[in-house]
Amino acid sequence: MSKIKETSTNFANKQALADECSEVYAANIIGGQWALVICSWLINGKLRFGELKKLLPNITERMLTLQLRKLEENKIITRTIYAEVPPRVEYELTPIGYELKAVIKQLESWGDKHKALDAANRSNMTKSH
Amino acid sequence: MSKIKETSTNFANKQALADECSEVYAANIIGGQWALVICSWLINGKLRFGELKKLLPNITERMLTLQLRKLEENKIITRTIYAEVPPRVEYELTPIGYELKAVIKQLESWGDKHKALDAANRSNMTKSH
DNA sequence: GACATTACTTACATTTTTTATAGTACCACA
DNA sequence: TGTGGTACTATAAAAAATGTAAGTAATGTC
């Protein structure tokens, strides 16, 4: 997205890590700011550009486009353009994209646990004061 | 990590998303370039700063420090300093940190699947040329 | 007193990601 | 001729993340 510099140290590091660690490879794919939420929504079924925009009230059109394009490049979603005016474009998870469901669930449940723990810590801190 | 600007749109967006999506919340915590690999290594047991450095040949000391500090802040790891000279510091996963194991496994297996698919696509493309 | 070792810190530069704003193309319909 | 709706693109700028290079502190050993 925008262009990345393939001669940078950062690029080399990312490549090397992704090559030897599938978990990092995976994280790179779903790692954009909005990528995970987009996938979460798409798990429930295909959505139009405008629908996604409504579901993600704070995203800019540019960001939405960029993230969708990246997901498409990585074969996580497909993009279907209907030859209509005004245009209609639908985004849908591919099979491998849909398999993110398990990953997302896992992330979600870990996140919940962590949040709970954090809340507990906070309230303990309050109590002991 | 360096300082972030709490008045930025980006900050607000991240917060809002993390609040309503535990999966995004989780992704933010383990989302640094090196955070996942560090955790992967620590799953096998505690490690010293220098040992991690050796395991991650391309990381700079600065980056390693930053990522470890962020993980510590988020209670993913603990930092134990031994009052010796030269200094000895050990990093170890906390219980919640250790629970990342399942997440990492899931990411890894999805990553492997995706890689395989990608490789298959590539060889198909080659064949059909 | 100089040196080696370890785990950092600091200042700064570069790269990458995200946001802001203002367009564009298309055609049906009024 | 003009307006409306949809899914974008282009350009610039801000913010965040990462990388580079050069220190620092403490102390046991030579």
Side-chain angles (χ1 to χ4, degrees):
Chain A
M1 329 279 88
S2 354
K3 44 236 72 161
I4 59 166
K5 200 171 170 184
E6 308 207 345
T7 56
S8 72
T9 305
N10 185 281
F11 181 80
N13 283 345
K14 251 184 199 154
Q15 286 282 82
L17 271 181
D19 275 2
E20 51 184 72
C21 291
S22 291
E23 63 265 36
V24 175
Y25 172 90
N28 284 345
I29 290 182
I30 58 174
Q33 172 122 159
W34 307 89
L36 261 182
V37 214
I38 292 174
C39 292
S40 290
W41 281 114
L42 289 178
I43 282 174
N44 304 317
K46 58 185 166 190
L47 290 168
R48 298 181 55 175
F49 185 88
E51 291 173 323
L52 279 167
K53 212 176 88 179
K54 257 171 240 155
L55 290 168
L56 278 35
N58 298 312
I59 200 172
T60 60
E61 299 197 341
R62 174 172 148 77
M63 255 302 123
L64 183 50
T65 304
L66 284 179
Q67 300 275 315
L68 288 169
R69 287 293 189 287
K70 184 181 166 197
L71 289 170
E72 194 192 355
E73 253 177 49
N74 286 316
K75 316 271 185 186
I76 307 304
I77 61 175
T78 57
R79 176 161 175 263
T80 312
I81 309 161
Y82 294 87
E84 301 172 0
V85 169
R88 179 157 64 101
V89 180
E90 285 182 346
Y91 294 94
E92 192 174 9
L93 288 175
T94 60
I96 187 76
Y98 193 75
E99 287 196 48
L100 279 173
K101 195 174 179 178
V103 177
I104 291 175
K105 264 194 177 170
Q106 196 85 52
L107 273 171
E108 193 182 357
S109 86
W110 184 87
D112 279 336
K113 259 185 225 164
H114 190 281
K115 271 186 188 175
L117 209 142
D118 213 46
N121 277 349
R122 240 188 278 288
S123 81
N124 271 347
M125 273 163 49
T126 310
K127 271 183 216 154
S128 65
H129 263 291
Chain B
M1 331 270 310
S2 353
K3 43 231 77 163
I4 60 165
K5 199 172 171 186
E6 308 206 343
T7 56
S8 72
T9 305
N10 183 278
F11 182 79
N13 283 346
K14 252 186 198 155
Q15 286 281 82
L17 272 181
D19 275 2
E20 50 184 73
C21 290
S22 291
E23 62 267 33
V24 175
Y25 171 89
N28 285 344
I29 290 182
I30 58 173
Q33 173 123 158
W34 307 88
L36 261 183
V37 214
I38 291 173
C39 292
S40 290
W41 281 113
L42 287 179
I43 282 174
N44 305 317
K46 58 185 167 188
L47 289 169
R48 297 180 57 176
F49 185 88
E51 290 173 323
L52 279 166
K53 213 176 90 179
K54 254 170 244 157
L55 289 168
L56 279 35
N58 296 312
I59 201 171
T60 61
E61 302 197 339
R62 173 177 146 77
M63 260 299 127
L64 182 51
T65 304
L66 284 177
Q67 301 275 318
L68 288 170
R69 287 293 190 286
K70 185 182 165 194
L71 289 171
E72 195 192 353
E73 253 177 50
N74 287 316
K75 316 269 184 189
I76 307 305
I77 60 175
T78 57
R79 177 163 175 261
T80 312
I81 309 160
Y82 294 88
E84 300 172 3
V85 168
R88 179 158 65 99
V89 180
E90 285 183 348
Y91 293 94
E92 191 174 10
L93 288 175
T94 60
I96 188 76
Y98 192 75
E99 287 195 49
L100 279 173
K101 195 174 178 177
V103 177
I104 291 175
K105 264 194 179 169
Q106 197 86 52
L107 273 170
E108 193 183 357
S109 88
W110 184 87
D112 279 337
K113 258 185 225 165
H114 190 280
K115 271 186 188 176
L117 210 142
D118 213 45
N121 276 348
R122 238 188 282 286
S123 81
N124 270 347
M125 272 162 49
T126 310
K127 270 183 218 159
S128 66
H129 261 291

